[in-house]
Structures are given as C-alpha cells and as structure tokens.
Amino acid sequence: MDLNKWLAAAVASNADWTKSFAPYDPHPALAVDESRFAAAFEVFTERLKDNYPFFHPRYAGQMLKPPHPAAVVGYLTAMLINPNNHALDGGPATADMEREVVQQLATMFGFDTHLGHLTTSGTIANLEALFVARETHPGKGVAYSAEAHYTHGRMCGVLGVEGFPVPTDDLGRMDLDALEELLRGGRVGTVVLTAGTTGLGSIDPVHEALALRERYGVRIHIDAAYGGFFTLLAGADGPEGIPAEPWRAIAQADSLVVDPHKHGLQPYGCGAVLFRDPSVGRFYLHDSPYTYFTSDELHLGEISLECSRAGASAAGLWLTFQMLPPTREGLGEVLAAGRRAALRWSELIENSEHLELYQEPQLDIVSYFPVTPGGKLSEIDAAADRIMHEGMNDTEDPVFLSTLRVGAERFTARHPGLTADADGARILRSVLMKPESETYVESLHQRVERLARP
C-alpha cells in the first residue's frame, strides 16, 4: 500500500464530506502560525526517534509492532470526524462497523450467539468480564493461573473479590488437579483460563477444564488477549498448525477477551470482550438522559463499562478486516509466518553451543538462555542481562530482546542439570509477531549467538 496516497485520499474524502454542509468561518482562536508549527513539528518528530525500531525484525523483544497501513488509513480517516462509539448519535457509521467486526471476532471463536464490544485495552476487557462474573456469582472469588497476566489479580482487587492463583505444570499451563482441589472448597465462582500467556505463550487446557464447570458450577472466562488470533491456526496443516482442542473449546466458554492491537494489526488501544450469553447485558443496565435519544436500537454504551470510546478504533479494524479477514487464509497467514519463525529459531537454538532453549514455543514466543561455564542460575541471570543490554546499545548492529524472570524451582525442574545458587534467574525472551521475522530469523540467531559467546 502507498500510505502517502491513501492518507491524502483520507484528507480529501473528509474535505468533500464537510463541504456538503453549509460553509462557516473557522474561529481565529484555533489558528496557528505555519512557521511556529513547522518548528514544533521538527522537535516533535525528532523526539519520536527516541523509540526502539518496533517495525524491524531485529526488534524481537516485547509485543510491539506498527499497525497495518489499512488500519492506519481507517483510523486516521475516521479520526478526522472523531466519532464516539458510546452512543449511536456520537458515531452511527463507526458503531455499525464495530458491530460488524465484533461479529467477525465471535465467528472466529465459534460463538453461536454473543454480546460484545471493543474496548480501549485487554485490561478493560478483562475488567468487564470479571465484573459480569462477580454479578453472576456474587460472593465468590476468581481463580487464575500463576502464569496469567497480572491484571487478573489487580482487577480482583478493584472489584472487591478474592483472587486465587493456581499453580502451573512444566509447560506453564494451569494445573487442573490443583484447580479442582481449590474448587472443592466452594470459594471460587469463576475460572480464568489463558489462551497464550504473555510470558511464554502457554495455552491452558480449556477443553479439559470445561468438565470442571459442569461439576462445580463455575463460570469460565478466557483471556486470549495475546494469543486469541492463533485460533486461526488451530488444526492447520504444516508446521505452523497448533493443537485444535483447547481452541475449539473456547466456543463453549462464558466470556473471552482478545486484543486486536496485538495480532489483529491495530494501533493501541483496541481490545474486545465477548459474552456467549447476550442476557448478561442486564448487568450493564443504566440510563443516560443526554445521550441515548437518537435511536431505539441498543447503544454500545449500554453494554459497556466505558463511556467515550474512539469510533476510529472500530474503523481501523473494519478496514483491516476487509483486506485481511480473521480467517485462516487471511490474517492466519500473518500469524503462520511468526509461528514458523519461532519454530525455526527454536531449532537453531537447540543446535547451538552457546544458547539453550528454555521451552519449546507454543505460539510465537521463543524463550532461551545463554550457556555458562558453571551452569549456575546466577551466571545465567548475569549473562542474559549483559546480552540484552549489549545488544540494544550496539549502534552498529543492534538487536532488541527482552527478559523473563523464572523462579529457581521452575527453572531447575525444566533443566535439572543447572545449579540453583539463587532464587531465580532471567532468561531471554523474544516475541516474533512480525511476519518478516520468518526470513530474518537466521540473522537474528547469529547476532544473539555472537553476543552469547564468552
């Protein structure tokens, strides 16, 4: 896509639309001097250079990458109007677009019926899901994996409910035996299962946990903020295919969260929450005497804890889905490239003398650590820290990684040959969510391996 061309078309389209209304004089209070703006813009663009190159495959650290050009054009075109999707009178066109993309997300996960909307983040989406869970199971707590995102413990505090971290197995998945022991106590009303933990990309056994819902009457919520779009690769042919069972089982969950601003190619912030039973909308019931008046249809603000929400977010996602729909042949091809890159890098690491694979990648996150002379956790921690900082500070040939702290017990359980002389150690962690990583992974490996050499 020629971004310059379509951004110019966005401005022209907005200008044509505004001309369809009566002319008016802009107020002088809003006028700015062109030369002053040019000076400020120069400072602004220079300051923006103080960023890591999220666009480049040599950035293999956190879950960051620029949005797709279609998302940029869709977002900025709508932003010129600045619709608010809280009420239909605030953004009728983008409210319709939101309903359409939410329907596509519901279809992607196999929901036959649904109630849902976009949010500003996965955090807010999870808050809404746990809010509904509190209302359906009053006085009961929430169980979540010890590897789950920290937002669940935090939101339990916000909602005034008790949170219960559940131990994980050797792959970072929730231990269902430990969960069932907790459920027997009767204090838990909701179980959060993670489809792609942000640390390692682990997938909780959703398909096996559903039986516990029937046995103990708990609610099942799926946090698929990071990993959700990988459902497009469930059962797929080729090396990028992932086991289908947990992903197919999501269709039976009570609620789920997914972040289009991660693998959905959108700018921040664009999350989404979906409920399988539309009747939970009763928990949002409220009145707003100055907003809900232009239509008898359901306003999105009537099923959301948030009030003002950018209609531009819905527009960006809608236009992206027109080009790359959430199907195996559409957006699935983008995720498949990152998945293959992660598998290829894991192969290279397994054959390396200087790096060791911490865990086989479950999605597109690669976890590994440097081989040290004494095999001590303290040595590994220091070496991982050195590699990360030396790589990002090398102006000639930089590489950008992240670290993940692992407790000693968990570390040595996976790698019993190591010496636990500390309570834990940092390992190296790389998220290969850019499809360009597939053709760059050999170069990435060679650079990290050179850094790892004593």
Side-chain angles (χ1 to χ4, degrees), residues 5 10 21 27 45 55 69 131 146 212 228 254 273 279 293 295 305 307 318 349 392 407 439:
K5 170 186 173 182
F21 298 91
H27 196 282
T45 53
F55 67 93
F131 159 72
L212 298 178
D254 296 293
V273 61
S279 73
F293 59 83
S295 172
L305 291 183
C307 293
W318 186 90
I349 291 171
M392 66 192 295
T439 56

Side-chain angles (χ1 to χ4, degrees), residues 379-399:
E379 295 174 346
I380 292 170
D381 182 81
D385 183 63
R386 175 188 62 79
I387 290 168
M388 184 184 72
H389 284 94
E390 286 187 7
M392 66 192 295
N393 292 322
D394 186 338
T395 57
E396 297 296 323
D397 190 14
V399 64

